[in-house]
Amino acid sequence: MTGVTLTVDGPVSIVTLSRPERHNAVDLETAQALYAAFKAFDADETLAVAVLTGAGGHFCAAIGWRGPATSHPWAPPALS
């Protein structure tokens, strides 16, 4: 998963945002990986809890993208 690592320790799923160079800002690929990680958690009846954490001393800066604001599905409407 791009931008996310998944570790299982017994009944605990540890989901780590792994973009420390970007302060773990969530881009589209990372959002998709988070969705997949939590869907996998939900489908696994042996897991009891999921922990979301961030790598590199940061939790999550924000939603982050590069390029024109209109190129991202989460982009705010253009200001006129």
Side-chain angles (χ1 to χ4, degrees):
M1 286 185 249
T2 303
V4 172
T5 58
L6 183 59
T7 309
V8 174
D9 184 7
V12 179
S13 175
I14 303 168
V15 181
T16 304
L17 296 169
S18 300
R19 299 183 70 219
E21 72 284 354
R22 294 275 173 221
H23 299 262
N24 297 318
V26 177
D27 62 2
L28 182 58
E29 287 181 344
T30 305
Q32 291 169 335
L34 282 169
Y35 179 79
F38 283 103
K39 286 288 283 187
F41 166 76
D42 190 46
D44 189 337
E45 293 183 10
T46 66
L47 297 173
V49 65
V51 176
L52 178 61
T53 188
H58 308 284
F59 175 63
C60 179
I63 295 173
W65 63 84
R66 294 186 165 255
T70 57
S71 69
H72 197 283
W74 296 334
L79 298 175
S80 23

